[in-house]
Amino acid sequence: MYNEKVHILDHPLVQHKLTILRDERTGVKEFREVVSEIAALECYEATRDLPLTDVEVKTPVATGTFKTLYGKKLAIVPILRAGLGMVDGMLRMIPSAKVGHIGLYRDPETHAPVEYYCKMPPDIADREVFILDPMLATGGSASAAITFIKGYGCRHIHLMNIIAAPEGLALIQRDHPDVEIYVAAVDEKLNEHAYIVPGLGDAGDRIFGTR
Ligand code: PRP
Ligand code: URA
């Protein structure tokens, strides 16, 4: 149904953790922890193709030739606010990555993304970029963020979401067919407020306790 750019993480650990996020009884502390854990597991999958090179290392027993990451420059870019919840998990896996920030919120009437903040590492154009946002609903925010980041000259872009709506995935595939998308679940639909059904509610409010 979706092309090879869409990676749906059906791993049992990811699915178990996602159910915790969906549960309305899950409190802020656990919600934050689990968002971070899912981000780390998605990072593991999204970095599968990073290039390796050989290094010689002396263990306490013998010298051998082993693998190390080959000079790939990475950046993560959370979409404020909710994308911030995924930063720690990503950085646990790729601690040397630089971090850019892009602030977007959805206009409550039109649901269109409105940009209010942006700060990128100066060499972002040379980096492989991982955009973070737990929710891909209409796809408007993610598509705008990708367009914005491409404006810096970035060419290798991954979009990391936790839940997507079919509408959001379709929009990204139409606007940015080159972007790799990682997601733990594709839900049924959007409701009249452009919330994902069944989803998990407002991700930003649940991460920051602002509901
Ligand atoms: C949420 C979410 C995404 C966006 C997804 O952010 O974190 O950024 O909505 O919706 P879309 O795919 O229809 O654009 P929100 O606007 O609620 O802002 P917040 O993260 O500051 O709460
Ligand atoms: N943003 C959210 O946080 N949740 C949704 O379901 C849709 C957009």
Side-chain angles (χ1 to χ4, degrees), residues 106 135 137 194-196 201-204:
R106 294 199 312 177
M135 308 306 277
Y195 270 75
I196 299 174
D202 187 306

Side-chain angles (χ1 to χ4, degrees), residues 16-62:
H16 174 83
K17 290 175 191 298
L18 177 56
T19 300
I20 295 171
L21 295 187
R22 290 187 189 279
D23 191 331
E24 64 176 6
R25 297 168 301 180
T26 301
V28 172
K29 176 177 179 291
E30 191 180 12
F31 193 90
R32 271 187 205 138
E33 288 167 357
V34 174
V35 166
S36 181
E37 288 168 5
I38 292 177
L41 292 165
E42 287 194 356
C43 181
Y44 176 79
E45 195 58 37
T47 51
R48 179 176 285 284
D49 293 331
L50 287 182
L52 293 170
T53 189
D54 289 338
V55 283
E56 197 168 283
V57 168
K58 188 172 178 301
T59 79
V61 179

Side-chain angles (χ1 to χ4, degrees), residues 87-161:
V87 170
D88 281 358
M90 291 289 294
L91 286 179
R92 239 180 289 140
M93 295 292 119
I94 47 173
S96 305
K98 296 272 178 72
V99 184
H101 293 85
I102 180 162
L104 296 172
Y105 69 87
R106 294 199 312 177
D107 181 285
E109 302 296 324
T110 65
H111 307 134
V114 181
E115 186 200 323
Y116 62 90
Y117 183 78
C118 179
K119 182 84 181 173
M120 294 294 152
D123 60 350
I124 188 82
D126 306 328
R127 293 180 176 269
E128 188 163 332
V129 175
F130 298 81
I131 298 175
L132 314 181
D133 194 330
M135 308 306 277
L136 184 69
T138 65
S141 304
S143 182
I146 295 166
T147 301
F148 197 76
I149 286 164
K150 283 182 174 173
Y152 281 85
C154 300
R155 287 296 162 257
H156 296 111
I157 298 175
H158 310 253
L159 176 63
M160 315 287 288
N161 302 122

Side-chain angles (χ1 to χ4, degrees), residues 170-181:
L171 188 81
I172 301 301
Q173 292 208 292
R174 188 197 74 188
D175 292 356
H176 303 288
D178 54 306
V179 168
E180 304 277 346
I181 306 169

